[in-house]
Every structure is written in C-alpha cells, then in structure tokens.
C-alpha cells in the first residue's frame, strides 16, 4: 500500500553555486512556531515521519504528535520511526543473517517470493567481535591473534560473506578493520543522506547498545534488539514511545590532567541518579566549544550505562571540522552544512540561540570534574582517585554486593606466593592481572590514547616497568590509531611496558580477554583472591571481563597504564609511590602524568586527515585471509546439519498463514527466581564456554575439541548451542538455590538440582509452561537478542519483573514472550512468592480484547493472586504477539502485500 505523501507541498530544492544538491522536506516551510522550540533530536524524528508519511505505516496524526512534542511526550504517545540505515556487528550480524536466510526458506515454503526478503535500507555490518587476546605482550600479536581468529571463525565469516552477496543493500566490513562504532564514526556515518536526489538526515539503529556513539556526530542512533533491527531492515517502522528529552547544559572547561573518560564517568553517574531510562539526553551550552568531537563521542557511547536511549550532540562547527579531519570530501561537508542550515538543524554558537524546550534539565561545570574510575562491578559506581584506596578497602569489608566482596579482616592481607616462568612472584587482593586499553569508548579518542602513550614514555624514561604476569594489551578501534601512535613516535614506549597492539576489534571489554597465565590463575583460585582488571571499556559487570577477575574497574587509557605500573588498585596515587625508578628514587603519579597542553600538542602534530583516508580506502578491499574465503552462491542458504556454528533455527518450522493468536499461561512452573539487575550477560553470556556446561557437552558430543569451543558470542548462529548457553553465566544468583552462585536451578516437582537447560527441557517434555520471576532492571546491559531467543527456546512463556531494560523488553515482545511488571511497591518477596508455586496468567484469546499496558491477574496454585501491568506498550506490539513474533508478522504481511 503506497499512498501519496500528504506533505509533498513542502518538498523544496536545495540550491548550490551553479546547480542544486537535491530535494528535501523543508521543516521551516510548515510555518509552525512549535517546530523551532523542539530539541534537535526530536526534529530528526519529525523529518523522518514527514518523509515516510503514507497514511498507512506513518500517518499525518503521527507527524502532529511529534510537532506537538511539548504536550504529547508527557502522555507517552506512540510513534513510528523508520531509520535511514541499520548497523550490525558479527556477533549480532550472524543471527540476523541466519534469520533472513530462514525467512527466505519460510517464504518459499508458504508459496511467497523468497527474493522479497531483502534489506530495504542500507545495512552496514562490521566484523569486530571475534578477535581474542590469545597472544599479548608480543611484537607479532596482531598477526598471531588474527590467524587464530580466522581458524576459529572461518565458517561464520564465510556465512557472512555469503550474506553480503546473497542480499542486496548489505556492506560487510571484513575482520581486522576495527570496532564497529569507531568505524561508524570515522567512515560509515553519513550525517546527511543523498539518495537518488532526496536529502535527509542520517539515522541508524544498531544491534549493539553502544550504537549511541554516533550521536556524538549529530547522527541519531541507538541500540535495538537484533529482532527489531531485522524488521527495520525489511521496511517495518519501529514502534516507539515519543521520548522525553533531558537538556544537559555544559559550561567551563576541564582542568589540567582531567580526561574525557573522567568526564563521561561523571556524566554517567549524574544521569543515572537523575533517571533517564527511555529518554533522549541532548547536550548544549557554551561548554560544548571546549569538547572535541571525540570527547562528545565518548559521552554518547556510554548512553546505555546512564540508561538513556541517546546522548545527542547536534551538528555544529566542531562536527564539520571532524568530518574534514576524517577525510570526508569538502563537497560532502558543504552539502551537510547547507542541508542542516536550511532545515534549521545546525547549531551555530556565533548566533543568538532560540530557547528550546526540554522535559527536564541538568547542568555541569566541566571545571568540577575530577580524575576517577568506576567499579568494581558497575559502570555507574564512580570513585574519585583520591578516595580509591579507602573505597577498595571498604569493598573488601562490605557484604557481597555491587560494592562488596566480604573478605574476612584476617584474610585481607593474604599473600599468595607462586612461581612465574621460574621467577618467584606474589599476588594479593586487589592486584591487577589484566590491564587493557580497549573499547570504542576510548580508542576513538586521540587525546586519551596519546595521553596513555605519554604516560608510558615518562614511565619508561624514569625506569618503571610493568610486572610480567600482568596481561597488558592495546586493541585500537581502527587502523588510524596505529598510524598516529607511530607518527608520534610513542608506540615504542607502550610496547616497552607490554601494551603491544593485539588486534583491531572488541576485546577485553566484551570478555575476549583470552586466558591469563596458568600460574597466575592457580594462585588466584587456590587462595580465593579478589584479583583486579583495569580497562578503558564501558562495561564491567561481574563475570564479563574474565571469570577470575572479580573486581573490574573502568578507567581512561592513561590510568590503565598507571594502574598497570602500580600493580594494584589498592593505592593512593596522591601519597604513595607508583614504583621505584632506575636511580632508586620513588616515582609518584604526578611524575608520569602529562599536562593537557602536552597532550594537545601531540594530537595536533600526529593526527592527520591522510591517515583516515589511507585507512578507509583500504578497508573494503579486505585482507588476504578474508579474500581467500570461498563461499557458496545462490539466494537460499544450503544448511549443513553437522555445522556447530550455523544452524537452521526452529522459529518458522510449523508456521502457517494464519496467526496463532494471543496465549495466556496455565499452571506454569517458575524456572528461575531472580533479584535486581539481572543483565543480558547473565541471561545469555557472550564469553567463554565452561567445560562442564550443557553447551560444552553438546560440542564435545559432536567432536569439537575443548580448545576449539570458542565463545558463546561466536556461536550465535547456532540455536542448539545458544539454547544450552541460556542462563549459563557462572555468576548468576537464583533464589531457588538459596543464594548459591552458578547456572543451575531446581526441578520443582522432584527437587532435583540440574543445569537450567536440563530442567527447562524436562518441563518441556512433561508439557509444562515456565515463567521467570525477577527484580528491577531485568535485562540491562547489551542489546542481546539471544537473551530473548534463548528463553523462548527453553519454553519460557512470561517474565514477571519489577522493571525491564528498554531494549530487552522489546526483544521479549519480538519473540512472543509476555513481559509483566509487578505493581509499584510490590515484588516476589513482598507478595510472599518463593518460586515454588505454579502460575496462571489470564489473557483473552482474542487480540482485539487486549490493550497496551492493561492490568492482568496472575494466580498461583496456593490461592494467592496479584495484579500486574501487561508491558505490551503499543498496538503494533500486540499485533506481533498475535502473530507469535515480529518476524512471523513480517513474513505474513509480505505475502499478503504481494497477493
């Protein structure tokens, strides 16, 4: 159904000297004074709604809701949004391409045209999540790790290469190129699209929660579940609640010695406290001129950690300078500026500013930011450097929790003696065993990367060394970093301290930290030590970075180097020496810390536009290993039943043209009973596959050697592995086990304690439904579609929680799982639920009788019943539920549209 756009009268021509750039939908031509007061981020939603208005998927009424944002946003109205493009990385890209291939099969089986299953918007897929730090502290680490990466992932890479040929509109950036979000910032980000002469703002949804990094470039982007992204690729509008916008005013400038990372950790803590879940945050104020684009991108990157959908920086002169620095052509930059000025979406701080309306406001004077790190278990638990030693000792004392390890006083001074490659060595609580300069959050920022290199230079010149058993690594987000580190002459000092480049991609931050030395591992486990990792990443949830580092701190790259040199997190940098120099003199933190001017000079002389041009001209040419991969042709995939990487999932196996309709839940058992802050890492871990797990058992039965297990993330194309990996996180706490830590649960009717997968399969074979009980913030962390697909395959019918993380709730909806929220002030504990009851959820069998957000009664077999809020938030989500899931809805609609 393609109807004429009712806004065609505001389609104007954008002139340029001697010609025209193209046509565009002009917001000023609507002559509506409300538009000038809108936040810039909302104007992007408005333009998209006007351009895509067909009175079917997007209606004039939706456009009016957005124009009237000031009045409509507090009412939580629903709007459709069609992003300009979709961004994938390989961990999420593989299951997305698997689903597209399956949808083609399903389309074929139902008599439809399988070629209709094609992305309708550009899809950029960057292979960046597969590099493991197997080899570190070595000159040839990059090549060695890449060879291992290709050995392990050859089958997945070949599958993605097949996808790039089989599907239209799909660009695949080969492995070894960089981290998806840094490549997006430096190369893929268009800022303004020109498609067949129609101009419009770039906007993107990505299957990684840190897609928000692109908001620093003035491109509206955020993370969505893989399931939602697949629907967006296929031309479905994304249904979203029109968000409130928090205005964040910046003033002043950062003090000497304070980094962008210190700023982002401060902003994260402030916004967490303010409460910004489901909202946009828009930055403004005179302090903006003091923030480089890389600093803005660092703040935007951590939106998921402060809970916002976006942390948005509108396009201004700083953005244009960065576009030129990164090798975008003068013609492109002129087009971007002309279009955004014509549509009043450009911020010119030299002109008087129109007062914008925000839902609420916060302010920060940049001069108030002080050096800090965050941890030991959550990104928003910020600790200033001057308080770090005291805070660490408090964590040792405190009962087990986000800020506690409950180490008895008498054990806190324990020293573990061990031998490291023939040399006597010691470990204590708080000693650093992993120090990683990693993650797009910081490796895209030349000031902190070159700052780290200057710390290394000063330390080397004073004769300081990093202990040989600390696993140090440097994983840049693009080849540009290597070029400017070499140009500055500083890479050699990082190498001297063991921070050799290990590869280009997501490493330690996502859990691809590789093994630590066996002698170190044994010393930690045998003495029950709380060992520490310090990384320049954005996530430090327990069990994520490495199974043996219970304390994980997020820090700027220069602080990563400083903590590696100190060897412990239990140090007061103000009063205690970091080490002893070559002349026997004590060296302090202040002796190795560069000034802001020193850093700025090196950045100015070392970071050059030609580096970006050279790096990205070569990026799509691939590398010899990628180019030699042979792949099958044909638009239907030839599934190999013996493959342990790529497997045909069962989602569409029994699908018919008639939707199955809504379903309630009858006498379900509780599979797991959780407390607060269960992350998607707990539900579907991305890291290593434990040798005693159901997934390990499955792989060994198929002849896979333990050495070749690879990670869960790398096996997301195989539903059999991923179902077994669901709730397999070794740090998970399930109340059915009375506080015991580990991936097991109780089979209620027999009382047996087994792996979660085995219990779930037993319930399925007995014909019983299951539900999950949870606390607040269920599903926080990465936007991981397998955290919804996995429970679906285990037979979970509903999740009852105090609250859900935004992306995870929509993923559950996309898979046909019912999300329910306890009423405010209630939870499983206050209601006296133990998880040993059986649960029935009464829903009408007719979709038209269900309303978004309605009350639903949950009854238990012991006579208790309670009321919950049904968290299908929009009419479109109810339609997905009626069809058994979002992808089934898309397939049936495509077939109907073609008949």
């Amino acid at each position: 159904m393609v109807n004429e756009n009712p806004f065609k009268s505001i389609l104007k021509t954008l002139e340029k000297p001697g010609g025209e750039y193209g046509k565009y939908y002009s917001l000023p031509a609507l002559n509506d004074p409300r538009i000038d007061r809108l936040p810039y981020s909302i104007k992007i939603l408005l333009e998209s709604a006007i351009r895509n208005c067909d009175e079917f998927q997007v209606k004039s009424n939706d456009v009016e809701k957005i124009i009237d944002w000031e009045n409509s946003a507090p009412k939580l109205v629903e709007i459709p949004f069609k992003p300009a493009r979709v961004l994938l990385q390989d961990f999420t890209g593989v299951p997305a391409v698997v689903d597209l291939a399956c949808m083609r099969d399903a389309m074929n089986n139902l008599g439809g045209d399988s070629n209709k299953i094609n992305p309708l918007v550009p899809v950029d897929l960057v292979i960046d999540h597969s590099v493991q730090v197997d080899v570190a502290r070595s000159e040839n680490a990059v090549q060695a790790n890449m060879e291992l990466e290709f050995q392990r992932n050859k089958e997945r890479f070949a599958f993605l290469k097949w996808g790039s040929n089989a599907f239209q509109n799909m660009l695949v950036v080969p492995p070894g190129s960089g981290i998806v979000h840094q490549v997006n910032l430096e190369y893929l980000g268009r800022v303004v699209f020109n498609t067949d002469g129609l101009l419009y703002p770039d906007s993107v949804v990505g299957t990684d929660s840190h897609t928000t990094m692109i908001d620093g470039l003035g491109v509206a982007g955020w993370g969505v579940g893989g399931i939602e992204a697949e629907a967006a690729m296929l031309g479905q509008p994304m249904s979203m609640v029109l968000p409130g916008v928090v205005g964040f005013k910046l003033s002043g400038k950062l003090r000497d010695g304070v980094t962008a990372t210190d700023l982002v950790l401060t902003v994260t803590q402030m916004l967490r406290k303010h409460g910004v879940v489901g909202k946009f945050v828009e930055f403004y104020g005179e302090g903006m001129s003091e923030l480089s684009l890389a600093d803005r991108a660092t703040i935007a990157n951590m939106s998921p950690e402060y809970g916002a959908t976006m942390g948005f920086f509108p396009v201004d002169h700083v953005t244009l300078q960065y576009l030129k620095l990164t090798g975008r052509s003068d013609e492109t930059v002129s087009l971007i500026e002309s279009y955004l000025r014509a549509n009043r979406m450009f911020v010119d701080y030299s002109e008087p500013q129109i007062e914008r309306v925000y839902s609420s406001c916060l302010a920060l004077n940049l001069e108030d930011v002080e050096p800090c790190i965050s941890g030991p278990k959550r990104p928003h638990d910020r600790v200033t450097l001057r308080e770090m030693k005291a805070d660490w000792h408090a964590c040792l004392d405190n009962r087990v929790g986000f800020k506690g390890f409950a180490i008895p006083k008498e054990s806190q001074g324990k020293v573990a003696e061990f031998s490291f490659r023939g040399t006597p060595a010691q470990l204590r609580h708080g000693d650093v065993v992993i120090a990683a300069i990693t993650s797009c959050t910081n490796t895209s920022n030349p000031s902190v990367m070159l700052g780290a290199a200057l710390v290394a230079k000063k330390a080397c010149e004073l004769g300081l060394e990093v202990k040989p058993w600390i696993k140090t690594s440097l994983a840049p987000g693009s080849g540009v970093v290597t070029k400017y580190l070499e140009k500055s002459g500083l890479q050699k000092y990082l190498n001297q301290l063991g921070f050799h480049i290990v590869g280009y991609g997501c490493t330690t931050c996502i859990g691809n930290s590789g093994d630590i030395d066996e002698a170190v591992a044994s010393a930690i486990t045998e003495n029950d030590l709380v060992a520490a990792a310090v990384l320049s990443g954005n996530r430090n949830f327990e069990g994520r970075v490495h199974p043996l580092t219970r304390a994980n701190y997020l820090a700027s790259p220069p602080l990563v180097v400083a903590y590696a040199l100190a060897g412990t997190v239990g140090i007061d940098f103000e009063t205690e020496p970091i080490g002893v120099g070559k002349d026997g003199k004590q060296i302090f933190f202040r002796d190795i810390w560069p000034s802001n001017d020193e850093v700025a000079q090196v950045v100015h002389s070392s970071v050059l536009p030609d580096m970006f041009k050279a790096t990205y001209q070569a990026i799509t040419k691939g590398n010899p290993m990628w180019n030699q991969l042979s792949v099958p042709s044909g638009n239907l995939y030839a599934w190999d039943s013996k493959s342990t990487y790529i497997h045909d999932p069962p989602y569409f196996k029994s699908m018919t043209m008639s939707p199955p309709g809504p379903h309630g839940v009858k006498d379900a058992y509780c599979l797991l009973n959780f407390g607060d802050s269960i992350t998607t890492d707990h539900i579907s871990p991305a890291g290593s596959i434990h040798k005693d797990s159901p997934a390990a058992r499955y792989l060994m039965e198929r002849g896979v050697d333990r050495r070749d297990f690879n990670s869960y993330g790398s096996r997301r194309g195989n539903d059999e592995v991923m179902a077994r990996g669901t709730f397999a996180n070794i740090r998970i706490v399930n109340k059915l086990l009375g506080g015991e830590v580990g991936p097991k649960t109780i089979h209620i009717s027999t009382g047996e304690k087994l792996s979660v997968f085995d219990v779930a399969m037993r319930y399925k074979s007995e014909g019983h439904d299951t539900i999950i009980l949870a606390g607040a913030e269920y599903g926080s962390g990465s936007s991981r579609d397998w955290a919804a697909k996995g429970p679906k395959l285990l037979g979970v019918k509903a999740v009852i929680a105090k609250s859900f993380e935004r992306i995870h709730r929509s993923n559950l909806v996309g898979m046909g799982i019912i999300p329910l929220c306890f009423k405010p002030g209630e939870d499983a504990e206050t209601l006296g639920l133990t998880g040993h009851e059986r649960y029935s959820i009464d829903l009408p069998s007719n979709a038209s009788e269900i309303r978004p957000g309605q009350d639903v009664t949950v009854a238990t077999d012991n006579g208790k019943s309670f009321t919950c809020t049904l968290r299908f938030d929009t009419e479109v989500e109810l339609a997905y539920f009626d069809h058994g899931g979002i992808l089934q809805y898309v397939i049936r609609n495509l077939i109907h549209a073609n008949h």
Side-chain angles (χ1 to χ4, degrees), residues 442-490:
N442 286 293
T443 69
S444 56
N445 194 327
S447 63
V448 290
M449 296 302 282
L450 287 161
L454 285 168
V455 169
K457 178 177 189 274
K458 289 172 188 278
C460 290
E461 287 169 348
L462 290 166
L464 293 179
E465 291 176 355
V466 173
K467 293 185 176 76
W469 57 82
I470 297 177
K471 187 165 190 177
T472 42
S473 62
L474 164 58
S478 87
V480 176
V481 179
T482 308
K483 288 185 169 69
Y484 66 65
L485 283 172
E486 290 294 349
K487 169 108 177 90
S488 68
L490 297 172

Coordinates of all heavy atoms in Angstrom, one line a residue, residues 442-490:
N442 N 36.9 4.6 24.2 CA 38.1 5.4 24.4 C 39.1 5.4 23.2 O 39.9 6.3 23.0 CB 38.9 5.0 25.7 CG 38.1 5.6 26.9 OD1 38.1 6.8 27.1 ND2 37.5 4.7 27.7
T443 N 39.1 4.2 22.5 CA 40.2 4.1 21.4 C 39.9 5.0 20.2 O 40.7 5.2 19.4 CB 40.4 2.7 20.9 OG1 39.2 2.3 20.2 CG2 40.7 1.7 22.1
S444 N 38.7 5.6 20.2 CA 38.3 6.6 19.1 C 38.8 8.0 19.5 O 38.6 8.9 18.7 CB 36.8 6.6 18.9 OG 36.2 6.9 20.2
N445 N 39.3 8.1 20.7 CA 39.7 9.5 21.2 C 41.2 9.7 21.3 O 41.8 9.2 22.2 CB 39.1 9.7 22.6 CG 39.1 11.1 23.0 OD1 40.0 11.9 22.7 ND2 38.1 11.5 23.8
P446 N 41.7 10.4 20.3 CA 43.2 10.6 20.2 C 43.8 11.2 21.5 O 44.9 10.9 21.8 CB 43.4 11.5 19.0 CG 42.2 11.3 18.2 CD 41.1 11.1 19.1
S447 N 43.1 12.1 22.2 CA 43.7 12.7 23.3 C 43.9 11.7 24.5 O 45.0 11.8 25.1 CB 42.8 13.9 23.8 OG 41.6 13.4 24.3
V448 N 43.1 10.8 24.7 CA 43.3 9.8 25.8 C 44.3 8.7 25.3 O 45.1 8.2 26.1 CB 42.0 9.2 26.4 CG1 41.3 10.2 27.2 CG2 41.2 8.5 25.3
M449 N 44.3 8.4 24.0 CA 45.2 7.4 23.5 C 46.6 7.9 23.5 O 47.6 7.2 24.0 CB 44.8 6.9 22.1 CG 43.5 6.2 22.0 SD 43.3 4.8 23.0 CE 44.2 3.6 22.0
L450 N 46.8 9.1 23.0 CA 48.2 9.7 23.1 C 48.5 10.1 24.5 O 49.7 10.1 24.8 CB 48.2 10.9 22.1 CG 48.2 10.5 20.6 CD1 47.8 11.6 19.7 CD2 49.6 9.9 20.2
G451 N 47.5 10.4 25.3 CA 47.8 10.6 26.7 C 48.4 9.4 27.4 O 49.4 9.5 28.2
A452 N 47.8 8.2 27.1 CA 48.4 7.0 27.6 C 49.8 6.7 27.1 O 50.7 6.3 27.9 CB 47.5 5.8 27.2
A453 N 50.0 7.1 25.9 CA 51.4 6.9 25.3 C 52.4 7.8 26.0 O 53.5 7.4 26.2 CB 51.3 7.1 23.8
L454 N 52.0 9.0 26.3 CA 52.9 10.0 27.0 C 53.2 9.5 28.4 O 54.3 9.6 28.9 CB 52.2 11.4 27.1 CG 52.3 12.1 25.8 CD1 51.4 13.4 25.8 CD2 53.7 12.5 25.4
V455 N 52.2 8.9 29.1 CA 52.4 8.3 30.4 C 53.5 7.2 30.3 O 54.4 7.1 31.1 CB 51.1 7.7 31.0 CG1 51.4 6.9 32.3 CG2 50.1 8.8 31.4
A456 N 53.3 6.3 29.3 CA 54.3 5.2 29.0 C 55.7 5.8 28.8 O 56.7 5.3 29.3 CB 53.8 4.4 27.8
K457 N 55.8 6.9 28.0 CA 57.1 7.5 27.7 C 57.8 8.0 29.0 O 58.9 7.6 29.3 CB 56.9 8.6 26.7 CG 58.2 9.4 26.4 CD 57.9 10.5 25.3 CE 59.2 11.1 24.8 NZ 59.7 12.2 25.6
K458 N 57.0 8.7 29.8 CA 57.6 9.2 31.0 C 58.0 8.1 32.0 O 59.1 8.1 32.6 CB 56.6 10.2 31.7 CG 56.3 11.5 31.0 CD 55.2 12.3 31.7 CE 54.8 13.5 30.9 NZ 55.7 14.7 31.1
A459 N 57.1 7.1 32.1 CA 57.4 5.9 32.9 C 58.7 5.2 32.5 O 59.6 4.8 33.3 CB 56.2 5.0 33.0
C460 N 58.8 5.0 31.2 CA 60.0 4.3 30.6 C 61.3 5.1 30.9 O 62.3 4.5 31.3 CB 59.8 4.0 29.1 SG 58.6 2.8 28.7
E461 N 61.2 6.4 30.7 CA 62.4 7.2 30.9 C 62.8 7.3 32.3 O 64.0 7.4 32.6 CB 62.1 8.7 30.4 CG 62.0 8.7 28.8 CD 61.5 10.0 28.3 OE1 61.0 10.8 29.1 OE2 61.6 10.3 27.1
L462 N 61.8 7.1 33.3 CA 62.2 7.0 34.7 C 62.6 5.6 35.2 O 62.9 5.5 36.3 CB 61.0 7.6 35.5 CG 60.7 9.1 35.4 CD1 59.3 9.4 35.9 CD2 61.8 9.9 36.1
G463 N 62.4 4.6 34.3 CA 62.9 3.3 34.6 C 61.8 2.4 35.2 O 62.1 1.4 35.9
L464 N 60.5 2.8 35.1 CA 59.4 1.9 35.7 C 59.1 0.8 34.7 O 59.3 0.9 33.5 CB 58.2 2.8 35.9 CG 58.2 3.9 37.0 CD1 56.9 4.6 37.1 CD2 58.6 3.3 38.4
E465 N 58.6 -0.3 35.3 CA 58.2 -1.5 34.5 C 56.9 -2.0 35.0 O 56.5 -1.8 36.1 CB 59.3 -2.6 34.6 CG 60.6 -2.2 34.0 CD 61.7 -3.3 34.2 OE1 61.4 -4.3 35.0 OE2 62.8 -3.2 33.6
V466 N 56.2 -2.8 34.1 CA 55.0 -3.5 34.4 C 55.4 -4.9 34.8 O 56.1 -5.5 34.0 CB 54.0 -3.4 33.3 CG1 52.8 -4.3 33.6 CG2 53.5 -2.0 33.0
K467 N 54.8 -5.5 35.9 CA 55.2 -6.8 36.2 C 54.8 -7.8 35.1 O 53.8 -7.6 34.4 CB 54.4 -7.2 37.5 CG 54.8 -6.5 38.7 CD 54.1 -7.0 40.0 CE 54.6 -6.3 41.2 NZ 54.1 -4.9 41.4
P468 N 55.6 -8.8 34.8 CA 55.5 -9.6 33.6 C 54.2 -10.5 33.6 O 53.8 -10.9 32.5 CB 56.7 -10.4 33.6 CG 57.3 -10.4 35.0 CD 56.9 -9.1 35.6
W469 N 53.6 -10.7 34.8 CA 52.4 -11.6 34.8 C 51.1 -10.8 34.6 O 50.1 -11.4 34.6 CB 52.4 -12.4 36.1 CG 52.4 -11.6 37.4 CD1 51.3 -10.9 38.0 CD2 53.5 -11.3 38.2 NE1 51.7 -10.3 39.1 CE2 53.1 -10.5 39.3 CE3 54.9 -11.6 38.1 CZ2 54.0 -10.0 40.2 CZ3 55.7 -11.2 39.1 CH2 55.3 -10.4 40.1
I470 N 51.2 -9.5 34.5 CA 50.0 -8.7 34.2 C 49.7 -8.8 32.7 O 50.6 -8.5 31.9 CB 50.2 -7.2 34.6 CG1 50.3 -7.1 36.2 CG2 48.9 -6.4 34.2 CD1 50.6 -5.7 36.7
K471 N 48.5 -9.2 32.3 CA 48.2 -9.3 30.9 C 47.8 -7.9 30.4 O 46.7 -7.5 30.6 CB 47.1 -10.3 30.7 CG 46.8 -10.6 29.2 CD 46.0 -11.8 29.0 CE 46.0 -12.2 27.5 NZ 45.2 -13.5 27.3
T472 N 48.8 -7.3 29.7 CA 48.6 -6.0 29.2 C 48.3 -6.1 27.7 O 48.8 -7.0 27.0 CB 49.9 -5.1 29.3 OG1 51.0 -5.9 29.0 CG2 50.0 -4.6 30.7
S473 N 47.4 -5.2 27.2 CA 47.1 -5.2 25.7 C 46.6 -3.9 25.3 O 46.1 -3.1 26.1 CB 46.0 -6.3 25.5 OG 44.8 -6.0 26.2
L474 N 46.7 -3.7 24.0 CA 46.2 -2.5 23.3 C 45.4 -2.9 22.1 O 46.0 -3.5 21.2 CB 47.3 -1.5 23.0 CG 47.1 -0.4 22.0 CD1 46.0 0.5 22.4 CD2 48.4 0.4 21.7
A475 N 44.1 -2.6 22.0 CA 43.3 -3.0 20.9 C 42.6 -1.8 20.3 O 41.5 -1.4 20.8 CB 42.3 -4.1 21.3
P476 N 43.2 -1.2 19.3 CA 42.6 0.1 18.8 C 41.3 -0.3 18.0 O 41.1 -1.3 17.5 CB 43.7 0.6 17.8 CG 44.9 -0.2 18.1 CD 44.5 -1.5 18.7
G477 N 40.4 0.8 17.9 CA 39.2 0.6 17.2 C 39.3 0.9 15.8 O 38.4 0.6 15.0
S478 N 40.4 1.3 15.3 CA 40.7 1.4 13.8 C 42.2 1.6 13.6 O 43.0 1.9 14.5 CB 39.9 2.6 13.2 OG 40.7 3.8 13.3
G479 N 42.5 1.3 12.3 CA 43.9 1.4 11.9 C 44.5 2.8 12.0 O 45.7 3.0 12.1
V480 N 43.6 3.8 12.1 CA 44.1 5.2 12.3 C 44.9 5.4 13.5 O 45.9 6.1 13.6 CB 42.9 6.2 12.3 CG1 43.3 7.6 12.5 CG2 42.1 6.1 11.0
V481 N 44.5 4.7 14.6 CA 45.2 4.8 15.9 C 46.6 4.4 15.8 O 47.5 5.1 16.3 CB 44.5 4.0 17.0 CG1 45.2 4.1 18.3 CG2 43.0 4.4 17.1
T482 N 46.8 3.3 15.1 CA 48.2 2.8 14.9 C 49.0 3.8 14.1 O 50.2 4.1 14.5 CB 48.2 1.5 14.0 OG1 47.3 0.6 14.7 CG2 49.5 0.8 14.0
K483 N 48.4 4.4 13.1 CA 49.1 5.4 12.3 C 49.6 6.6 13.1 O 50.7 7.1 13.0 CB 48.3 5.9 11.1 CG 48.1 4.8 10.0 CD 47.4 5.3 8.8 CE 47.4 4.4 7.6 NZ 46.7 3.1 7.8
Y484 N 48.7 7.1 14.0 CA 49.1 8.3 14.8 C 50.0 8.0 15.9 O 50.9 8.8 16.3 CB 47.9 9.2 15.1 CG 46.9 8.8 16.1 CD1 47.1 8.5 17.4 CD2 45.5 8.7 15.7 CE1 46.1 8.1 18.3 CE2 44.5 8.4 16.6 CZ 44.8 8.1 17.9 OH 43.8 7.7 18.8
L485 N 49.9 6.8 16.5 CA 50.8 6.3 17.5 C 52.2 6.2 17.0 O 53.2 6.6 17.6 CB 50.4 5.0 18.2 CG 49.2 5.2 19.2 CD1 48.8 3.8 19.6 CD2 49.6 6.0 20.4
E486 N 52.3 5.6 15.7 CA 53.6 5.5 15.1 C 54.2 6.9 14.7 O 55.3 7.2 15.0 CB 53.5 4.7 13.8 CG 53.2 3.2 14.0 CD 54.3 2.4 14.7 OE1 55.4 2.9 14.8 OE2 54.0 1.3 15.1
K487 N 53.3 7.8 14.2 CA 53.8 9.1 13.8 C 54.3 9.9 15.0 O 55.3 10.6 14.9 CB 52.6 9.8 13.1 CG 52.8 11.3 12.9 CD 53.0 11.6 11.4 CE 53.1 13.1 11.1 NZ 54.5 13.6 11.1
S488 N 53.7 9.7 16.1 CA 54.1 10.5 17.3 C 55.4 9.9 17.9 O 56.0 10.6 18.7 CB 53.0 10.4 18.4 OG 52.9 9.0 18.9
G489 N 55.8 8.7 17.4 CA 57.0 8.1 18.0 C 56.8 7.5 19.4 O 57.8 7.2 20.1
L490 N 55.6 7.3 19.8 CA 55.3 6.9 21.2 C 54.9 5.4 21.3 O 54.9 4.9 22.4 CB 54.2 7.8 21.8 CG 54.5 9.3 21.9 CD1 53.2 10.1 22.3 CD2 55.6 9.5 22.9

